[in-house]
Amino acid sequence: MSQHAGPRAESTHHRLYEFAKAALTRIFVHPYATVCELYCGGGVDAEKWDEAQIGHYIGIDGSSSGISQRREAWESQRKAYTADFFELDPCMEDVEIHLKDQTNPADLVCCLKNLQLCFETEERARKLLFNVSSLLKPGGYFFGITPDSSTIWAKYQKNVEAYHNRSSGMKPNIVPNCIRSENYMITFEVEDEKFPLFGKKYQLKFANDISPEIHCLVHFPSFIRLAREAGLEYVEIQNLTEFYDDNRAQFAGMIMNFGPNLVDPRGRLLPRSYDVLGLYTTFIFQKPDPDVAPPLTTPLLHDVTYIQDEREWQVPVTTVWRDDEKSVPVEPPPGLGKISEQKGILGPGPAELRFSEAL
């Protein structure tokens, strides 16, 4: 794995994020695959596709400058793979119209940034997932990285609880809206103890960054429900610290290529790396292939588990929950075993239970 250069790669945050993207690419991407990258703008890490020996690349981004940068990055390479670029926002427009006669062209669809921006409204998230489904061949995977909303919300709720314990009711109508660590600060735009399913905005600012990033929390049960509606089956949502620990034997040497002071001599994440990486999660879905195996079944969850955890999320009492929104997996989904067998990296373990524990 090549050393990543550039000023953005100097910070711990960007170095760890680049590592996570490279690690996921190594797991899923196979030689000669057709890969579609959503929100591909920029060319900072474009070489990873060349290293993966893909056959064809489809880049989609809503920014004309982002598409231009990505195209220039491809043209400056050895051109070991062919490429198409489309300027469109996949959570606003129909991808099929732009791809014309190409039906299910991609073996893999990835979204390594900006998924959280699609959760501003349910309509945007639904459009994105239906576009993903239209892009994927049967049996293909949709994977990526997004801020871990369950981790962020748990930190926020702890702040709220600590504040109320300290204030002793002196200021009952004021809710703290910040999460702080030595590495970052998260500020919610609205001081509120409720977590709506869509549109919960916050700012994330890392210590070395000039300006904050604007995000929306991704409500994972809604993510799974909308994906299922689009014909995609849930495989796994796993915090990046657990993802790294589960695969440390494969990735400990690789992470050292992204700079010093990220892990200890035994390959364990140093506290600062753990703090930063823990803000993010992987997500994996699969489009079932009825010709190869029976369609994947969505894992059933006991409602009791979710009701107990609902206090942490503090969803408004006026919200009517659908049955499938209250479901969270208790056992490893069938699709996970397939990845383990094919890729030899993702293995079974307690991490598969994390989704029900964290929400």
Side-chain angles (χ1 to χ4, degrees), residues 63-354:
S63 164
S64 58
S65 60
I67 281 289
S68 297
Q69 290 174 352
R70 186 62 190 87
R71 182 184 287 109
E72 290 171 5
W74 170 71
E75 291 175 347
S76 67
Q77 293 173 327
R78 297 193 302 268
K79 298 186 180 180
Y81 57 92
T82 56
D84 289 315
F85 300 94
F86 298 93
E87 183 184 336
L88 64 99
D89 188 336
C91 71
M92 296 290 290
E93 304 175 58
D94 287 319
V95 169
E96 285 183 314
I97 296 175
H98 294 264
L99 269 61
K100 299 178 181 178
D101 297 331
Q102 301 183 53
T103 304
N104 307 129
D107 298 296
L108 301 161
V109 175
C110 67
C111 186
L112 300 170
K113 57 183 178 181
N114 288 355
L115 175 85
Q116 60 275 12
L117 299 182
C118 301
F119 276 74
E120 185 174 358
T121 67
E122 182 169 357
E123 291 72 23
R124 288 167 63 89
R126 178 178 285 109
K127 174 65 72 175
L128 178 89
L129 289 164
F130 271 90
N131 276 329
V132 169
S133 186
S134 70
L135 286 162
L136 270 181
K137 295 177 182 177
Y141 287 99
F142 172 48
F143 67 93
I145 300 171
T146 192
D148 190 335
S149 298
S150 61
T151 295
I152 293 171
W153 193 248
K155 289 178 181 289
Y156 178 64
Q157 288 291 295
K158 287 180 181 178
N159 277 6
V160 171
E161 182 179 351
Y163 175 83
H164 286 317
N165 290 339
R166 288 195 309 269
S167 64
S168 301
M170 292 176 61
K171 298 178 180 179
N173 297 322
I174 299 177
V175 178
N177 67 334
C178 288
I179 302 168
R180 299 174 186 269
S181 84
E182 63 176 317
N183 301 305
Y184 56 79
M185 181 172 69
I186 295 172
T187 306
F188 286 94
E189 293 190 358
V190 178
E191 295 182 352
D192 192 353
E193 294 186 62
K194 296 181 177 64
F195 180 0
L197 307 189
F198 300 90
K200 182 66 174 180
K201 292 186 178 181
Y202 63 95
Q203 296 182 357
L204 171 59
K205 185 179 185 301
F206 286 92
N208 296 326
D209 285 356
I210 298 174
S211 57
E213 305 167 1
I214 307 296
H215 297 313
C216 289
L217 288 176
V218 177
H219 184 254
F220 293 142
S222 296
F223 189 12
I224 294 171
R225 171 178 62 85
L226 293 175
R228 188 190 306 129
E229 290 177 5
L232 303 171
E233 292 294 340
Y234 166 76
V235 176
E236 186 176 65
I237 293 174
Q238 186 181 35
N239 185 273
L240 280 183
T241 57
E242 296 176 355
F243 170 78
Y244 175 79
D245 286 340
D246 283 353
N247 306 290
R248 192 194 309 169
Q250 289 80 12
F251 294 148
M254 177 179 171
I255 197 172
M256 294 178 184
N257 292 327
F258 289 79
N261 305 319
L262 298 178
V263 294
D264 67 15
R266 298 180 60 183
R268 294 174 300 191
L269 293 168
L270 293 174
R272 186 176 186 182
S273 299
Y274 191 92
D275 185 34
V276 172
L277 209 56
L279 283 181
Y280 295 93
T281 182
T282 63
F283 60 85
I284 305 166
F285 293 83
Q286 185 179 29
K287 184 174 183 177
D289 187 348
D291 296 330
V292 173
L296 298 176
T297 57
T298 301
L300 297 176
L301 286 182
H302 299 293
D303 288 347
V304 176
T305 303
Y306 191 81
I307 291 171
Q308 180 180 359
D309 297 331
E310 189 175 331
R311 291 191 299 270
E312 179 182 342
W313 290 74
Q314 292 290 313
V315 179
V317 294
T318 55
T319 301
V320 178
W321 288 90
R322 302 182 186 182
D323 289 339
D324 53 1
E325 284 178 334
K326 292 188 284 188
S327 296
V328 244
V330 176
E331 298 180 356
L336 189 61
K338 180 177 287 188
I339 297 178
S340 304
E341 295 163 9
Q342 291 179 350
K343 306 300 179 184
I345 296 180
L346 281 178
E352 286 81 355
L353 302 178
R354 175 218 173 244

